[in-house]
Amino acid sequence: MAKINSNLEIAERADRIREAIAALKREKSEIEASGWVAPADCYVARYQAKGQKYHYWYYQLKGSRSVFQKSNKKGEFSRFKHLGKAGSQAHIDGVKAVIRRGKIEQLTSAIEALYESWLDLYPDEEKAGHRVE
C-alpha cells in the first residue's frame, strides 16, 4: 500500500514540475516576442567622445565577439553597436534588450534545473551520481 501511495505522490510531484516548466516556457516565449533580444555576453557601456570644446557621453552595446552588423558595410560585423546619447530611443531599446537577455537566461536556467529535478523523481540505476535504494 505504501508503494502505491509513493507512486501516486511521485506522479503528483512530476505533474507540478511539468506545470512549472510549462509556465516558465510561456513566460520565456512572451519575453522573446516582446522585442529585440541582445546577443549573449553583451552589455551597455558608456564612453566619452572629445570635441573641440566639450566632452560628450554616448552609449553602445558591447559584445565579446563580433555580432553586430556594420551599417555601412554589408557582410562585416563589429563588437560594438552605437546607441547614442542617454535617453535616446536606441539607448532605451538597447538597455531593454540586455534586460530581456538576462531574463531569458535566468528562465532557461530555471527550466533546466526543474527538468533535472523531474528526472530525479524517476531514478535510473545506470545514471552516474544517483543512489539507488
Side-chain angles (χ1 to χ4, degrees):
M1 187 73 169
K3 189 70 171 172
I4 294 171
N5 288 336
S6 178
N7 288 340
L8 183 61
E9 179 189 352
I10 289 172
E12 289 173 353
R13 289 189 287 163
D15 286 341
R16 283 194 294 269
I17 291 173
R18 231 180 277 119
E19 289 171 7
I21 289 172
L24 292 175
K25 283 183 177 181
R26 278 192 305 275
E27 188 175 343
K28 183 179 166 186
S29 295
E30 289 171 6
I31 291 170
E32 290 170 338
S34 69
W36 180 65
V37 178
D41 299 328
C42 288
Y43 60 96
V44 175
R46 183 176 142 190
Y47 68 96
Q48 187 178 48
K50 296 180 182 179
Q52 288 182 345
K53 283 187 169 184
Y54 302 104
H55 295 234
Y56 303 95
W57 290 101
Y58 294 104
Y59 293 85
Q60 65 186 355
L61 271 178
K62 213 174 207 182
S64 59
R65 61 190 192 296
S66 299
V67 293
F68 302 109
Q69 186 164 356
K70 290 185 177 182
S71 60
N72 57 352
K73 298 181 182 174
K74 302 293 180 201
E76 289 188 29
F77 294 88
S78 172
R79 287 182 43 227
F80 310 100
K81 179 178 176 142
H82 180 72
L83 300 176
K85 296 178 181 179
S88 67
Q89 190 60 49
H91 173 239
I92 300 301
D93 291 344
V95 170
K96 287 181 177 180
V98 170
I99 290 170
R100 283 186 205 100
R101 164 60 52 212
K103 287 179 179 179
I104 288 170
E105 287 173 351
Q106 290 294 318
L107 288 168
T108 302
S109 176
I111 289 167
E112 290 170 359
L114 282 171
Y115 181 70
E116 286 186 17
S117 299
W118 182 79
L119 289 176
D120 288 341
L121 291 176
Y122 304 101
D124 187 4
E125 292 180 24
E126 297 177 9
K127 278 189 198 172
H130 286 281
R131 182 175 58 136
V132 177
E133 296 178 21

